[in-house]
Amino acid sequence: MKILILGAGKMGSFFVDLLSFDHETAVYDIDSRRLRFMYNTQRFTSLEEVEQFRPELVINAVTLKYTLDVFRQLLPVLPQDCILSDIASVKTGFREFYASCGLRYVSTHPMFGPTFANLGSLSSENAIIISEGDYMGRLFFRDLYARLGLNIREYTFDEHDETVAYSLSIPFVSTFVFAAVMKHQDAPGTTFKRHMKIARGVLGEDDCLLREILFNPRTGGQVSKIRDELKDLLDIIDRKDEAALNGYLARIREHIK
């Protein structure tokens, strides 16, 4: 299959490495410097090269903020039988775009990133495939992710964004709060060091990704739960209510079983 990967960043490079030995691949990026270390693949910087390549599948791995804009730029030079695909972590507006573009599509979300995941060993990681996409496109990614050992789930666009609002926004916001009140420790404990490692990883993510996750329309409802829990916990602390604290700890321990 002729596969075009959009974006020569970390995830774009990952897909090039993953696919280039079994398929005819090309990577497109307007910044030629980002293509310097791309091997075993064609490297494009112009739409004319994309048009001549005539891809059968496009994997959009650019920064989330620009994903749909780059799709729109490429649509005039793509063949009508090409399948569009994205790996965006937030799918707001994607269903509407795909419905209007006139091409087949498949939307997935590898639930791992270059910050924490070992891209050479992904058996403990997860991937979501949007059930509303093209059947053959979904089959391609299901086979690809299965070969990586990923745990695969199929959700609708709405189910995906609800899941992401819970699984990403709550830990991200909790990490932001930790980082905001944190003070340097000369002799940090184990728990503090673990939280610091997580905080550095999360805050090392692209600002566009963090913004899109926080501005997910469903994030506000999830973050409000943190506010409510903090209010209840602070009340217990202020009252030094041992019985209430025991009940609180018992309740939250049930959540992590």
Side-chain angles (χ1 to χ4, degrees):
M1 181 184 290
K2 298 180 73 172
I3 301 174
L4 175 68
I5 292 129
L6 306 179
K10 292 179 180 178
M11 289 305 288
S13 300
F14 170 71
F15 277 99
V16 169
D17 291 342
L18 187 62
L19 297 168
S20 61
F21 288 95
D22 298 316
H23 301 275
E24 183 181 353
T25 64
V27 58
Y28 169 77
D29 198 301
I30 58 174
D31 185 352
S32 60
R33 292 172 299 179
R34 292 165 61 89
L35 297 169
R36 285 178 299 175
F37 303 109
M38 291 288 181
Y39 300 105
N40 199 42
T41 188
Q42 298 183 63
R43 295 175 286 184
F44 298 157
T45 57
S46 71
L47 295 180
E48 290 76 14
E49 292 171 302
V50 171
E51 186 172 23
Q52 293 173 9
F53 183 63
R54 295 189 60 81
E56 299 167 79
L57 172 68
V58 172
I59 300 176
N60 195 330
V62 304
T63 301
L64 179 60
K65 179 181 179 180
Y66 303 109
T67 301
L68 294 182
D69 288 339
V70 171
F71 268 150
R72 293 186 183 101
Q73 293 170 16
L74 263 70
L75 281 178
V77 301
L78 295 178
Q80 283 300 303
D81 58 352
C82 180
I83 300 175
L84 300 181
S85 72
D86 73 88
I87 56 170
S89 55
V90 178
K91 305 295 186 183
T92 305
F94 279 70
R95 177 167 49 197
E96 294 76 12
F97 166 77
Y98 285 131
S100 66
C101 75
L103 298 182
R104 293 183 294 161
Y105 73 90
V106 55
S107 185
T108 77
H109 180 189
M111 297 286 287
F112 57 87
T115 300
F116 293 117
N118 176 1
L119 298 183
S121 178
L122 297 170
S123 59
S124 63
E125 305 293 345
N126 303 289
I128 294 173
I129 298 175
I130 301 301
S131 58
E132 298 163 63
D134 177 78
Y135 173 76
M136 293 305 295
R138 298 202 317 271
L139 199 63
F140 174 87
F141 279 97
R142 176 169 284 279
D143 177 69
L144 180 65
Y145 292 154
R147 286 193 283 115
L148 292 173
L150 294 169
N151 179 40
I152 302 168
R153 292 287 183 269
E154 285 206 10
Y155 295 143
T156 65
F157 280 111
D158 288 339
E159 289 169 341
H160 169 272
D161 278 4
E162 185 67 34
T163 298
V164 167
Y166 171 76
S167 65
L168 291 183
S169 63
I170 286 182
F172 276 30
V173 169
S174 300
T175 300
F176 295 163
V177 172
F178 166 78
V181 302
M182 187 212 77
K183 294 181 180 180
H184 175 73
Q185 300 291 311
D186 291 326
T190 300
T191 301
F192 184 91
K193 288 190 288 186
R194 288 176 178 173
H195 279 287
M196 274 295 295
K197 182 178 180 180
I198 293 172
R200 289 192 178 104
V202 170
L203 292 170
E205 293 282 8
D206 183 84
D207 284 358
C208 293
L209 171 64
L210 299 178
R211 180 172 59 247
E212 293 299 331
I213 289 170
L214 291 180
F215 291 172
N216 179 338
R218 296 167 175 82
T219 293
Q222 297 293 340
V223 174
S224 67
K225 296 177 183 178
I226 298 176
R227 179 188 59 202
D228 294 341
E229 288 295 329
L230 285 174
K231 179 181 177 182
D232 291 344
L233 183 57
L234 185 60
D235 179 63
I236 293 172
I237 293 170
D238 287 341
R239 291 187 289 110
K240 295 181 172 56
D241 189 331
E242 185 174 339
L245 179 59
N246 290 340
Y248 182 84
L249 294 175
R251 176 170 65 84
I252 64 176
R253 284 181 176 126
E254 285 294 319
H255 287 181
I256 62 174
K257 281 186 176 180

